[in-house]
Amino acid sequence: MNIYGEMQFMSSAPPVMDSGEYRVRAAQKVTLPESDTLQGEPLYFYAGEQRFTMEREVVSDVYPPKNSMSDYGTVLPHIVLKKKSYPWERLINAKKTLRQGEHITGNRTPWVALLLLEEGEAEVKTITLEELLKEKETIFFPQAGSERMVGEKEADVCQVLELAPKVFREVVPREVELEWLAHVRIVDLHAREENRISHPGCYSVVVCSRFPPASETAIKCSAHLVSLEGFHGFLPGDMGVEEGKESWAQKECIRLVSLHQWEFCSKKRTTEDFRTLAEKLDTEAFRLPVTPLKGKAAEGDFKVHALERLKRGYTVLSHLVRTGEKTASWYRGPLIPCEKELSDQSQNQSADGRLMYDRETGLFDMSYAAAWQLGRLMILKNRSVSAALCSWRKLVEQKGREALEVHILKNHLGELHKNANTESASSGRYAKQRIYELLADGEIESLLGRAKEEKGHEILDGFEEGV
Amino acid sequence: MKSWMDSKKECNLQAADTLPLPDDVVKWLQESRLLYDVPFSYLVPDENFLPMETIRFFQLDENWLDAMTEGACSIGGGTTNDWTTNGYFLRRVKQSLPLGLYRRRREKMHQNHLVHCALPTDLKDSKVRMGFLLRSELVEAYPGMKVEGWDRSSNIERNLLRLNLLSDTVMLGIFDGYIDEINVTEPSEALHFGTRTSDRKIYVRRIEEEGPYKIGDKLSEELIPVPIRDGRMVDVSNLVETLKKKLHADDFVCGEEVQQKPAFTSAELALEMVEMAAQERWTKQ
């Protein structure tokens, strides 16, 4: 493993389990009352990646960016995959099923490669698996004739590339080169966009070994991540096989399954890399572009004030007033180009309470009124949150009522309460019970009478009445 | 004598203080302070605020956010003797902000990166929170770029509270504190292989530390050509052999003890070929 700047490299990251079908068998041996072995039903499961398709989700980034145009004559295209073991999930030698016993260290041959093709070099087709696996005289596809695997249906479709033998020889890397064209990067993601930070930071990268063309006219290129499963011994330049004598040399075309593809253009003397894109950005504070007033404005001119507001990030929006008239009002969102102003808007339990009138320009400032109203709408849109808030309010009010009851009882039945100053003196229930006892004894009337006289409240429930 | 209504309000307030607000509610209120769920047209009311290929610095208007929070908390209340007037919720929500604003990102973040993510040491509400809106093709081409916010006047890096793509070309970032510089770096996982010169030559980089030299430092000023076959195919085996020879990798050094130089694998090849991450800074004017 190598550490370079903020990044670490690893040569490969083979999967914990090789692709294939697995069987779990379990048996229970008992010894009492007599020895016996109970066989469980075998359980089958499948591990690994699909052979002919790749989920879009696996791709993190591609380079050159999709549909971009720049001078890519000195760079090698690549694809970054979110799954660190993807390039090693399957084997280029399809006949070999397990890696058992192989050393984990060192380089590993990936089962995928990234090809770069110019327009016209290959034909891209979408075909069904049924057609793909059918053997054809004119087409070389090592997996033709093989059985469909678990989860593969006849009608499933996949993308294939069809290359003439001459092109195949030129654009496909040799088998010995493959291991050098994939590696793993370990990256820290803490300062990244929110959707990326849940990734552990281990990516696999598959690099193309063909440079894009450098030409004065734009040349459209496409990059294809292809599966090489089954191509063991059939890749160009394979040791011991003379050129022109390969098993595919006389075929019309060689078929490769394309797992992912994208396009870009290469043209000399155009640069659109990170630096050039970043350099040309215009930096400013968040406000509308303002042109200063021509000439000297008169004292108290509303234009001066209006300009001042624009500088502070305001804009004027058309405003349909509740009563039906059309007008215009100032608005400024939560993003402002300057320090916030002092504002006293507390104790306003409505949007209207947050309207501000701008005397100088004769317009209303709707900013905080809009914010208040928006907050209300936003929480109402989120049903579970608004329901939780309302039930919390209810709970508080219920507790408050109980506390109030105690409070009232304490006030009015202070003397009784003194006697009850033991264990659960604070609980309203105790006081209530006490009152019932007193009522039964006929002693309470005088007390209640006094309380009612004083304030005119029904006290037992803690509710005000007839206020 | 105190009125009954006052006592009732007081009792409610006391009860409220003893009852924790539901976590969902707190979380939602905290997130709304970072403008999650706020429609884009409320943030950018006019396209001229944010034309294509611009970056705009802003400060969060706490007054605006307060109004929004109070609006949100007003549901289910609103009677004349509502005990939650006088900004009861607002005070409660604001108390939870210094840490609460970090919550969403920290909960989403994989533990591998959490170690790099500082929490504020000062739990007083810092009040000033700044950020940027970026609208550029850069966002579309490099959505995974690394973004840092700096206060250059006191040379402090500010913690990220939010970094999101609002669309293919618009990125929103909010930091905890004052910033006057944004530092962006090309995403390192997406750095490409490339050559130094237009005739496809590269410098050889060190693959191990040696004396004052670090991994990745140039071995010498010599530029070596990348071997090519069939027009534009890199002759990988040839390139690897050349690099190994230059670096004496995979050689055995015989001496008192037999020492093996570091192996040369696809990881080392990546180190040799990968381009440096481009960096750019934008300063607030």
Side-chain angles (χ1 to χ4, degrees), chain A residues 323-337:
Chain A
T323 45
E325 301 106 82
K326 265 192 202 163
T327 177
S329 295
W330 290 110
Y331 173 77
R332 184 173 68 173
L335 317 178
I336 56 177

Side-chain angles (χ1 to χ4, degrees), chain A residues 231-417:
Chain A
F231 275 90
H232 171 62
F234 298 126
L235 289 181
D238 204 40
M239 278 170 291
V241 184
E242 253 177 79
E243 199 173 306
K245 294 251 171 83
E246 300 99 336
S247 33
W248 37 263
Q250 301 309 319
K251 303 269 181 177
E252 237 165 62
C253 66
I254 292 128
R255 206 176 246 178
L256 289 157
V257 174
S258 170
L259 300 163
H260 187 81
Q261 56 279 314
W262 77 97
E263 286 176 344
F264 60 93
C265 277
S266 182
K267 188 184 177 194
K268 256 191 182 172
R269 273 184 272 283
T270 45
T271 36
E272 208 181 70
D273 59 358
F274 187 86
R275 192 163 280 128
T276 47
L277 280 171
E279 266 170 3
K280 67 177 180 193
L281 286 195
D282 170 55
T283 323
E284 245 288 10
F286 189 75
R287 60 175 153 230
L288 289 174
V290 194
T291 37
L293 283 179
K294 274 179 209 145
K296 212 174 175 191
E299 180 84 9
D301 190 345
F302 80 94
K303 280 183 196 152
V304 181
H305 294 282
L307 210 63
E308 193 49 43
R309 271 198 178 252
L310 289 174
K311 273 188 194 157
R312 283 191 281 130
Y314 280 90
T315 180
V316 176
L317 296 178
S318 65
H319 180 192
L320 190 64
V321 189
R322 200 176 304 174
T323 45
E325 301 106 82
K326 265 192 202 163
T327 177
S329 295
W330 290 110
Y331 173 77
R332 184 173 68 173
L335 317 178
I336 56 177
C338 51
E339 296 277 319
K340 67 162 185 176
E341 291 97 22
L342 287 174
S343 153
D344 183 28
Q345 26 153 350
S346 55
Q347 312 214 6
N348 285 325
Q349 278 306 299
S350 65
D352 286 354
R354 289 178 159 74
L355 282 177
M356 289 178 285
Y357 185 66
D358 181 31
R359 226 176 285 273
E360 277 81 16
T361 53
L363 296 178
F364 274 109
D365 176 355
M366 298 297 293
S367 310
Y368 298 149
W372 193 89
Q373 190 63 28
L374 178 71
R376 221 170 143 95
L377 293 173
M378 271 162 55
I379 202 168
L380 285 171
K381 196 178 154 212
N382 191 327
R383 269 195 212 173
S384 64
V385 170
S386 50
L389 181 61
C390 286
S391 41
W392 185 80
R393 249 179 204 276
K394 263 189 207 155
L395 192 69
V396 168
E397 272 152 29
Q398 187 195 328
K399 284 247 178 181
R401 210 148 53 220
E402 279 168 20
L404 185 66
E405 200 173 289
V406 174
H407 178 79
I408 294 167
L409 286 171
K410 265 189 194 166
N411 263 2
H412 291 266
L413 305 173
E415 283 148 55
L416 294 176
H417 221 273

Side-chain angles (χ1 to χ4, degrees), chain A residues 205-217:
Chain A
V205 181
V206 182
V207 186
C208 174
S209 61
R210 192 183 191 210
F211 283 106
S215 136
E216 297 293 339
T217 52

Side-chain angles (χ1 to χ4, degrees), chain B:
Chain B
M1 194 181 168
K2 258 200 263 174
S3 87
W4 289 95
M5 284 203 349
D6 283 344
S7 317
K8 188 184 174 196
K9 226 178 222 180
E10 228 166 73
C11 286
N12 278 338
L13 284 170
Q14 275 168 12
D17 283 337
T18 61
L19 286 169
L21 270 171
D23 197 43
D24 283 359
V25 176
V26 177
K27 202 174 166 198
W28 186 87
L29 289 169
Q30 288 166 345
E31 284 175 7
S32 71
R33 305 279 304 196
L34 291 173
L35 309 172
Y36 285 100
D37 285 2
V38 175
F40 188 67
S41 57
Y42 278 76
L43 304 180
V44 185
D46 187 317
E47 212 212 322
N48 290 323
F49 274 92
L50 191 67
M52 205 57 199
E53 302 308 328
T54 53
I55 178 164
R56 296 284 178 257
F57 286 80
F58 62 76
Q59 200 172 106
L60 284 181
D61 184 358
E62 295 288 325
N63 296 334
W64 199 96
L65 296 173
D66 288 353
M68 183 184 65
T69 302
E70 291 216 85
C73 295
S74 71
I75 57 161
T79 53
T80 43
N81 61 348
D82 186 358
W83 53 277
T84 59
T85 51
N86 282 327
Y88 174 77
F89 279 107
L90 193 61
R91 277 194 299 281
R92 238 178 128 155
V93 171
K94 284 192 134 178
Q95 273 169 9
S96 76
L97 286 183
L99 278 177
L101 292 179
Y102 285 78
R103 195 163 140 189
R104 176 160 170 148
R105 257 183 93 80
R106 289 185 70 90
E107 280 177 5
K108 281 206 161 188
M109 194 173 288
H110 192 275
Q111 55 183 21
N112 286 1
H113 321 305
L114 269 180
V115 286
H116 304 284
C117 235
L119 275 175
T121 41
D122 179 12
L123 290 187
K124 266 187 284 167
D125 199 8
S126 77
K127 296 277 195 300
V128 177
R129 292 193 183 90
M130 287 187 63
F132 69 90
L133 268 170
L134 168 62
R135 184 170 174 221
S136 164
E137 279 174 46
L138 187 72
V139 178
E140 201 170 9
Y142 301 90
M145 63 190 166
K146 179 179 169 186
V147 181
E148 294 167 328
W150 285 84
D151 175 2
R152 283 300 176 196
S153 51
S154 38
N155 224 22
I156 301 172
E157 191 189 338
R158 299 293 185 186
N159 300 327
L160 251 182
L161 297 174
R162 178 176 179 189
L163 190 64
N164 273 91
L165 301 182
L166 301 183
S167 76
D168 284 350
T169 52
V170 178
M171 184 182 251
L172 168 72
I174 300 175
F175 296 88
D176 198 9
Y178 175 86
I179 51 159
D180 50 20
E181 186 185 294
I182 298 290
N183 223 319
V184 286
T185 317
E186 214 175 337
S188 39
E189 72 275 13
L191 290 180
H192 56 269
F193 280 20
T195 58
R196 183 51 63 136
T197 60
S198 56
D199 55 350
R200 295 176 185 146
K201 285 182 178 165
I202 56 167
Y203 287 116
V204 181
R205 290 187 183 137
R206 290 174 186 274
I207 55 168
E208 57 176 349
E209 280 179 32
E210 208 179 319
Y213 302 110
K214 292 196 297 286
I215 292 175
D217 284 353
K218 264 189 273 181
L219 189 69
S220 69
E221 289 303 315
E222 185 195 4
L223 278 161
I224 63 157
V226 173
I228 303 284
R229 66 160 193 266
D230 291 330
R232 300 197 311 273
M233 277 298 267
V234 177
D235 193 340
V236 182
S237 310
N238 202 337
L239 172 66
V240 168
E241 284 314 313
T242 314
L243 288 168
K244 271 188 189 173
K245 226 171 265 168
K246 293 272 175 209
L247 291 159
H248 304 286
D250 282 353
D251 281 356
F252 284 96
V253 181
C254 295
E256 302 250 308
E257 276 171 67
V258 177
Q259 262 189 318
Q260 196 180 2
K261 292 288 253 179
F264 198 85
T265 67
S266 62
E268 282 73 25
L269 181 67
L271 174 61
E272 295 298 331
M273 295 293 292
V274 85
E275 291 226 324
M276 303 274 267
Q279 224 179 39
E280 182 65 31
R281 50 181 58 176
W282 298 304
T283 318
K284 184 182 167 239
Q285 281 148 2

Side-chain angles (χ1 to χ4, degrees), chain A residues 134-161:
Chain A
K134 217 184 275 168
E135 281 179 272
K136 269 196 197 126
E137 198 51 40
T138 51
I139 296 171
F140 181 82
F141 182 63
Q143 278 173 297
S146 71
E147 292 285 303
R148 274 180 291 122
M149 293 181 37
V150 184
E152 294 173 354
K153 292 191 206 75
E154 261 182 15
D156 287 352
V157 290
C158 69
Q159 297 245 300
V160 292
L161 277 178

